Amino acid sequence: MGPVLASSSSGSWKRAAVNAGLAAILLAGAYQLPATMDVDFANAPAGYLSTEGFHDAEAGYRWSRARSEIHFHDPGAKWNVRLELLLSGFRPRDLPPPLLIVETPGRTFRLKPSRKVEPFAMDVSTRGNWSSTLRVVLRSEVFTPGGGDERSLGVRVHRARLATSGRAIPPIRQLFFGSLLVFLVGLYVPALGRWYIAMPALLAISFVYFRQWAAMALPPIAVGLALVVVVARFVPSVTSLARSWSKAVSSALLQATPSLLELAILAGVATGAAVVAYAGRPIVELDLGSSAFEPIVRRFRGYDRDALSVHFREPLPGAVIDLRDFGAGRPWKIAIRAALEGDAQLAVLARADGAELRTELGPTWESHSFTAPAPDFSWRSGYELSFAGFAGAKLKISSIRVDRGSSLPSARAILFITISAWAFLFGLRGMGLRERGATWLAVAWLVVPAGAVLLSPAVAIPLLPLVVVASVATSAVAILVRGGLLALAERDIVPELAPGVLVVASLGFLAWFLAMASPLYVGGHFAYHTAIAEEIWQGKFLLYYLPDAANMLSRQPQWGGLVVPHPSLYHTVSSPFAGLPHFWFLVGTKLFVAGLLFMIPITCGLVATVVADARAGVFAAAATLVPTGFQLLALGHLMTIFGCAAATVALGLLAVCANRLSEKGIFWLVSGALTISFLSYTGTLLFGSAALALTAVISYRSDRDFSKSLVKLSLVSWTLAFLLYYVHWAVPFVRDTLPVLLFGAGGERTIDLGARAAAVPSKFTYSFGSFLIPLGGLLGIALVEGRSRARRLLEGWALVLVLFTLLDLGFNFLLKHHYFSWPVVALGLGFFLHRLDEKGRLGRVTARVSFLALIVSAVRAAIRVATGGG
């Protein structure tokens, strides 16, 4: 089983069993020693993994809600344990201190924390045989700060600590998982060698000094290793595939490592690009009526507008605008457009590094200016612009103009731009691109961060850390996917993919993620779907899995409250991101969504390579960058994106493996992929089934075996999807929804077929950017030579678009079938461009110009989404 996970022998069984027993004994002994379990709310990992129902961390604390929980994982069962809480009951001056009720098993405490940070100590008990986890429930009176902050805030919790004095009853689950882990490592991980004998002692020591972390980590690590062992023992093909994958990834990483000279050259170009970008746009305009500057604006009330339609925001005490990283070397000339509601006052309006603006403000909008000294070149060159506020009056700020002169970028900004280029170069070389091509593309990539800083520094500079995240994530995803595809190609499951497909897909990943990362991104239903994922993470999985009156996912208010089963698979899979701080929860979700979209050009490239050749694969991957994906992001249809990606992978796998469906392993692999796609979204079930049915009909006369295989695949996948999810919804759907769908119209209606037919081109334009794109896609499918099984599947898939467009004339369907057909339209468009590319010099020029036009259309669509458009 490889050098790390090896098979066992009789001698290793005895040694592992002895060590596992010793681990149980030593763990039990560790619970007889004093231990302190700390939850530091300023420490994000510990604070988030051990709490539930708190707001995000602030300056060393987190606000509780009306009900919040702190979890101490398996401290051991003991009657007398010391619980310490470091709290503050901060309230505005006009509100009394809050009442806080602390509930533990068998004990309840009533506290009145003051505005100051103060400790509270309570004697509690821990219980449980299998698990002794202590759940401390905080119930607090709450208030809402207002001024754009609509959170319900309870008390500030700075730290929670549980101190045991020793002699506790050890929880059985920690003894069990500790023994299991030591036993499995002794049998299957010989790489530890002599160190294995010390493993029980090290495990026990970790429970003495780091009990909170050790108790959290041990069960999942033991279960994970057990699953690996089971798969390795009973599904050797998966183990072999994983070994090939890791080997391919390791090879790609070695291949990807650039030389020091390349890194130095790229760093120099990045530094020059940053300097040019900063110097080229010396003036920064901040319109406080726009959400574009939200990342740098802190402690301001919500957006407002006065009688003159001037948009403004009101600073609260301690309000700042973070202009660090905005440049060094020249004095800053700062002009603030402001007004005051009430009598005119003379006071300090703003400060920047000791320089202050003392001026008289009244009800008239006026611009007030001052000069701040030149910031020194440093890690974060620039200033925080702070506002003191005016006593007894409402200060309104409309806009701020900062003239930095030809300033130098901060060291931090230079480093971020450089790292993003390094990461992109690393990824490009790991994708298999030639060294020279990878270097030139990495240099070209610098246009993105540097160009953004040049065009809009106030928006782009705060986003530079996310540009680094995007570059690193893109390279990591591309290298991992390439490794997996190479492992599959070794087994003749998929063809070897051209590096150009990975490059195009990576450009798409970057565009999709950065469009969502923009502060102007609206996202339609994005917040709706992330809220459901958060609720599932908090334990409401069954609410969205089973029929329930409170299941907002499957009740359609726009259709009169009809019950339409919508699986929550996307929300369940993405829900672990909700365990992160809110900002990173959103970032993780956006990376996940971009990863889903990334799989569409990859799959289209594979299918086009099988049907035609590698060059057709690159054209097909590029054709997926039509505006459809960006429109889905603008609408925030995350579940539709998930369904579309799952269907593309499933049908793409079916097309690639169409000639091997008689092999049992391939049949069940495709069945599993189809089942997941049917569970991803109800629309995918409908349109995917239609594609399979149409393909079976098309193939019946010429390839009856293929037709029968499609029927078998459909039946197996339908049955599995029904048993796993839809079975719970069958009765409500038949009882409540079907009668409304069939008889709810209530009489004859006149349908203007002419008007609906005339609207078809505009609907295509809405979904694809131009009605010519789906027409070109359908034409490209028709031009594919031969009658292979893969081509017939593409014909059936493309006919879904034709069939439901015709049905749309009578029923005015939603345009979900357009999104589902987007990948096959891209495939057809890729085939069409490939045919052009083969038709002499004029054809090559036309094809490549069209290829570049697709990239340009993707950039334009990304900019529209990033700036709040559709």
Side-chain angles (χ1 to χ4, degrees):
M1 277 189 269
V4 176
L5 197 63
S7 55
S8 56
S9 63
S10 58
S12 59
W13 273 85
K14 293 179 181 178
R15 185 181 67 158
V18 170
N19 245 24
L22 180 61
I25 294 172
L26 292 180
L27 276 178
Y31 273 94
Q32 309 313 308
L33 299 175
T36 300
M37 305 178 75
D38 243 337
V39 178
D40 185 354
F41 284 77
N43 184 319
Y48 283 88
L49 291 173
S50 303
T51 60
E52 184 178 308
F54 282 83
H55 292 287
D56 282 344
E58 296 185 31
Y61 61 86
R62 291 174 68 191
W63 281 103
S64 71
R65 302 177 193 258
R67 186 185 189 279
S68 303
E69 291 188 12
I70 304 171
H71 301 161
F72 294 97
H73 299 271
D74 282 336
K78 185 175 177 61
W79 285 109
N80 294 317
V81 183
R82 190 79 165 171
L83 172 64
E84 299 174 1
L85 298 176
L86 192 62
L87 307 172
S88 166
F90 175 84
R91 287 293 186 273
R93 296 293 181 186
D94 56 338
L95 293 179
L99 171 65
L100 173 66
I101 298 177
V102 180
E103 297 177 356
T104 64
R107 300 290 301 274
T108 299
F109 305 89
R110 299 170 67 87
L111 309 178
K112 276 278 191 179
S114 68
R115 293 172 56 88
K116 298 180 180 180
V117 179
E118 53 187 339
F120 293 87
M122 292 150 276
D123 290 325
V124 300
S125 62
T126 56
R127 306 173 184 177
N129 296 318
W130 170 253
S131 171
S132 59
T133 295
L134 176 65
R135 294 177 179 268
V136 179
V137 179
L138 307 182
R139 299 183 185 274
S140 172
E141 295 176 334
V142 297
F143 77 103
T144 301
D149 186 352
E150 300 303 319
R151 295 177 299 168
S152 293
L153 305 180
V155 296
R156 290 174 175 175
V157 184
H158 293 256
R159 183 183 292 272
R161 177 178 294 169
L162 193 71
T164 64
S165 59
R167 297 185 299 282
I169 300 173
I172 295 175
R173 76 166 181 166
Q174 297 296 343
L175 302 183
F176 171 75
F177 285 120
S179 300
L180 177 65
L181 178 64
V182 172
F183 182 72
L184 293 176
V185 168
L187 284 181
Y188 298 108
V189 189
L192 283 180
R194 299 175 185 176
W195 290 101
Y196 174 63
I197 193 67
M199 190 175 177
L202 293 174
L203 198 61
I205 290 171
S206 70
F207 271 79
V208 174
Y209 293 101
F210 312 103
R211 187 169 298 179
Q212 178 80 344
W213 284 103
M216 282 193 293
L218 179 57
I221 291 175
V223 170
L225 181 58
L227 289 175
V228 170
V229 169
V230 169
V231 170
R233 296 288 292 176
F234 298 105
V235 194
S237 59
V238 174
T239 306
S240 175
L241 181 63
R243 189 183 305 123
S244 298
W245 189 356
S246 63
K247 182 179 178 181
V249 170
S250 300
S251 176
L253 291 175
L254 290 175
Q255 176 186 349
T257 305
S259 67
L260 291 177
L261 179 60
E262 286 178 298
L263 295 177
I265 292 173
L266 205 54
V269 175
T271 301
V275 170
V276 170
Y278 269 71
R281 184 58 66 95
I283 296 176
V284 177
E285 300 277 0
L286 301 174
D287 178 6
L288 293 192
S290 169
S291 62
F293 312 108
E294 194 65 34
I296 59 175
V297 176
R298 297 198 298 268
R299 292 197 58 78
F300 276 73
R301 292 192 186 275
Y303 305 101
D304 207 342
R305 186 174 63 180
D306 67 5
L308 300 176
S309 295
V310 177
H311 294 268
F312 67 89
R313 296 184 72 178
E314 178 188 356
L316 296 168
V320 297
I321 295 179
D322 189 354
L323 298 179
R324 294 174 296 171
D325 293 318
F326 276 65
R330 297 294 179 90
W332 286 13
K333 298 176 182 178
I334 304 171
I336 302 172
R337 188 167 182 250
L340 197 68
E341 282 190 4
D343 297 334
Q345 292 188 36
L346 177 65
V348 175
L349 172 59
R351 292 186 176 90
D353 191 43
E356 62 181 29
L357 173 58
R358 180 177 293 274
T359 186
E360 184 174 351
L361 272 79
T364 304
W365 285 103
E366 294 180 352
S367 183
H368 306 267
S369 304
F370 74 114
T371 299
D376 296 328
F377 177 77
S378 62
W379 174 242
R380 302 200 70 178
S381 306
Y383 298 128
E384 281 189 334
L385 194 59
S386 61
F387 299 87
F390 279 49
K394 180 179 180 180
L395 175 61
K396 304 182 295 185
I397 299 176
S398 172
S399 62
I400 299 172
R401 185 178 186 271
V402 180
D403 185 349
R404 309 167 295 161
S406 298
S407 58
L408 294 173
S410 67
R412 182 173 181 259
I414 293 174
L415 184 62
F416 282 150
I417 294 175
T418 303
I419 290 176
S420 71
W422 283 349
F424 198 52
L425 173 64
F426 192 88
L428 289 169
R429 294 187 58 168
M431 296 173 209
L433 210 61
R434 293 177 181 176
E435 292 183 9
R436 181 174 297 179
T439 302
W440 279 111
L441 273 176
V443 170
W445 158 250
L446 289 170
V447 172
V448 176
V453 170
L454 178 62
L455 292 173
S456 183
V459 174
I461 291 174
L463 292 184
L464 287 178
L466 287 184
V467 173
V468 174
V469 170
S471 302
V472 172
T474 302
S475 298
V477 169
I479 291 174
L480 289 173
V481 168
R482 183 183 181 229
L485 292 174
L486 287 174
L488 292 172
E490 286 182 4
R491 289 153 177 77
D492 295 324
I493 296 176
V494 300
E496 189 167 342
L497 200 61
V501 174
L502 281 162
V503 172
V504 170
S506 297
L507 293 175
F509 182 96
L510 283 167
W512 289 316
F513 171 71
L514 291 176
M516 290 185 285
S518 165
L520 288 174
Y521 171 66
V522 176
H525 294 86
F526 183 90
Y528 168 80
H529 288 295
T530 52
I532 293 175
E534 191 170 18
E535 289 190 15
I536 287 176
W537 180 251
Q538 293 171 357
K540 295 184 179 180
F541 169 75
L542 291 178
L543 171 64
Y544 293 100
Y545 177 72
L546 299 172
D548 192 289
N551 183 347
M552 59 181 175
L553 191 61
S554 291
R555 290 197 174 271
Q556 310 300 310
Q558 71 273 26
W559 296 341
L562 286 181
V563 175
V564 178
H566 280 325
S568 58
L569 186 58
Y570 161 78
H571 312 86
T572 303
V573 172
S574 63
S575 64
F577 292 116
L580 300 172
H582 185 70
F583 173 79
W584 291 108
F585 167 38
L586 297 180
V587 170
T589 299
K590 291 170 182 177
L591 286 171
F592 177 64
V593 171
L596 293 174
L597 291 169
F598 174 85
M599 294 310 300
I600 294 176
I602 293 292
T603 307
C604 288
L606 286 172
V607 174
T609 302
V610 168
V611 174
D613 57 28
R615 184 172 295 178
V618 178
F619 279 122
T624 61
L625 300 182
V626 296
T628 310
F630 295 98
Q631 185 194 97
L632 282 170
L633 293 179
L635 295 171
H637 286 176
L638 306 188
M639 197 162 56
T640 304
I641 292 173
F642 185 65
C644 187
T648 304
V649 171
L651 292 177
L653 183 63
L654 175 57
V656 169
C657 301
N659 295 324
R660 300 178 59 185
L661 293 176
S662 58
E663 300 176 27
K664 186 178 293 185
I666 296 295
F667 179 88
W668 284 107
L669 177 64
V670 176
S671 296
L674 286 171
T675 301
I676 292 172
S677 73
F678 291 168
L679 290 171
S680 65
Y681 184 49
T682 307
T684 303
L685 172 66
L686 173 63
F687 301 124
S689 300
L692 294 173
L694 290 168
T695 306
V697 171
I698 293 170
S699 307
Y700 184 73
R701 296 186 65 181
S702 58
D703 191 348
R704 196 161 294 184
D705 288 340
F706 183 47
S707 183
K708 290 179 179 178
S709 295
L710 291 175
V711 172
K712 290 178 183 177
L713 281 171
S714 299
L715 290 175
V716 169
S717 303
W718 289 340
T719 300
L720 291 174
F722 181 79
L723 293 176
L724 289 170
Y725 174 75
Y726 292 101
V727 61
H728 307 294
W729 295 81
V731 172
F733 183 79
V734 172
R735 182 189 62 213
D736 302 330
T737 303
L738 200 56
V740 177
L741 292 177
L742 295 177
F743 310 111
E748 293 292 327
R749 293 181 298 165
T750 301
I751 299 175
D752 190 344
L753 290 176
R756 290 193 178 179
V760 169
S762 63
K763 290 184 177 181
F764 279 142
T765 299
Y766 174 79
S767 298
F768 294 100
S770 169
F771 74 94
L772 295 176
I773 288 178
L775 296 181
L778 294 175
L779 178 60
I781 297 294
L783 290 175
V784 175
E785 297 177 350
R787 296 292 298 168
S788 66
R789 288 181 170 182
R791 189 211 167 173
R792 282 194 289 270
L793 178 62
L794 296 182
E795 289 175 347
W797 194 351
L799 281 175
V800 171
L801 180 61
V802 178
L803 174 63
F804 280 89
T805 298
L806 294 175
L807 291 173
D808 188 36
L809 300 178
F811 296 96
N812 201 25
F813 275 21
L814 292 174
L815 304 183
K816 301 290 187 181
H817 59 285
H818 286 192
Y819 303 134
F820 176 82
S821 303
W822 160 38
V824 76
V825 166
L827 278 163
L829 198 56
F831 293 137
F832 181 74
L833 295 176
H834 181 243
R835 288 292 294 271
L836 274 178
D837 191 57
E838 294 175 331
K839 298 298 182 181
R841 184 175 181 180
L842 179 61
R844 284 196 299 274
V845 172
T846 304
R848 293 174 189 191
V849 169
S850 301
F851 181 93
L852 291 175
L854 287 170
I855 302 297
V856 170
S857 72
V859 172
R860 293 177 62 186
I863 292 173
R864 283 200 306 273
V865 174
T867 53

